[in-house]
Amino acid sequence: MIYTALSSAAMFGATPDQILSAASKAGLQGVEWSTDGYLNVGDLEQANLLMLKTLRAGLSIASYATLFRAAYHDISGFTMALATARALQAPLMRIWSAPKTKSDRKDRSNFLETAKLLGDQAAKVGITICLGLAAGTVLDSCERATRLFHALDHPFVKLSWEPLPALGFDKAMRMFTGMNGQVGLMLAPFSSPLSQLRLLSEIEEDWISYIDAFDEQGGSPDMTRYVLFRAADVAGQERLASDVGMIKHYSRQLRMYRRRRIF
């Protein structure tokens, strides 16, 4: 089942209660708590507090976002971040890859070796780690991510995927299809009037296809999969609610079409 979630990083400066209120009003089903002023790595007491606040607000914990870089930061930092995610009861933890060097062979070797090590560690506590695409890193393109993740093929190491506007729908869809079973989290563009990105409703047909492919990838069809919104503001709440409503509507429609169980 496709669920929607709001990252706390989207409302930097807001209180946890304000974030939870905004998520509820927009119709989101979950929240991602990040290290951006909300949950420092190692603060297990705060992790437990945020977990309880989120559940009491009728929302789920979608993930824990950190600035840890695989094959760059010391492994002890990952161990502590993982303990924090566990205290938060997050099923996913977002991290990043190391900066790219001049040696593609070395980057590939280091990434595969480290990602397997981290994935094995995360598997012991049932948390999936999701690495994001970012310029200047080992995962600086969808093409490179496709090659590396297929070589890795670890059940607890996935990609945080987003349909980058520069790709265009056809290319983005081909890449997503090529990553079947390797995507752990889908990132949604924001519809702020100040943003260059459009409302999801303006590219509705594209997102119907993305949601369909996300729901159909490997694993149980009843497995929770999150579409994460990473930006929001007070003025954009109605626009955010519109985007969230569209995703929820088509998620239900697709499952009804396949005669699946709807939660």
Side-chain angles (χ1 to χ4, degrees), residues 18-184:
Q18 289 173 327
I19 291 169
L20 293 170
S21 176
S24 295
K25 288 179 180 178
L28 290 127
Q29 293 137 313
V31 172
E32 171 191 79
W33 293 106
S34 75
T35 56
D36 296 325
Y38 295 99
L39 181 54
N40 293 331
V41 171
D43 193 343
L44 306 188
E45 182 178 351
Q46 176 70 353
N48 185 65
L49 177 62
L50 289 176
M51 180 269 293
L52 291 175
K53 276 181 171 287
T54 305
L55 297 182
R56 287 168 182 161
L59 299 165
S60 61
I61 301 291
S63 62
Y64 176 46
T66 81
L67 296 177
F68 180 85
R69 290 181 177 272
Y72 183 71
H73 289 142
D74 190 270
I75 188 67
S76 62
F78 177 81
T79 301
M80 187 58 71
L82 193 63
T84 310
R86 189 180 185 187
L88 184 63
Q89 295 192 16
L92 307 173
M93 185 169 76
R94 281 208 296 146
I95 64 173
W96 304 93
S97 60
K100 189 167 59 174
T101 71
K102 295 180 180 180
S103 173
D104 287 342
R105 180 176 295 181
K106 182 179 179 180
D107 287 344
R108 173 187 170 88
S109 176
N110 287 343
F111 176 85
L112 293 177
E113 180 181 352
T114 304
K116 182 182 184 306
L117 178 65
L118 301 183
D120 289 346
Q121 189 171 335
K124 294 177 182 178
V125 293
I127 293 175
T128 298
I129 56 176
C130 296
L131 290 111
L133 298 169
T137 71
V138 174
L139 297 177
D140 64 348
S141 69
C142 288
E143 294 92 342
R144 184 183 291 247
T146 300
R147 293 194 299 270
L148 288 173
F149 275 87
H150 278 298
L152 178 64
D153 194 25
H154 195 293
F156 284 87
V157 183
K158 304 292 182 181
L159 177 70
S160 297
W161 184 85
E162 56 186 309
L164 299 173
L167 290 176
F169 171 74
D170 291 338
K171 188 173 183 180
M173 195 65 204
R174 283 197 303 273
M175 290 181 176
F176 188 90
T177 302
M179 290 291 291
N180 184 42
Q182 305 291 338
V183 177

Side-chain angles (χ1 to χ4, degrees), residues 161-163 186-190 197 200 207 227-231 247:
W161 184 85
E162 56 186 309
M186 183 182 289
L187 307 180
F190 179 48
L197 299 174
L200 298 190
W207 271 85
V227 173
L228 181 69
F229 287 84
R230 296 166 296 157
I247 291 176

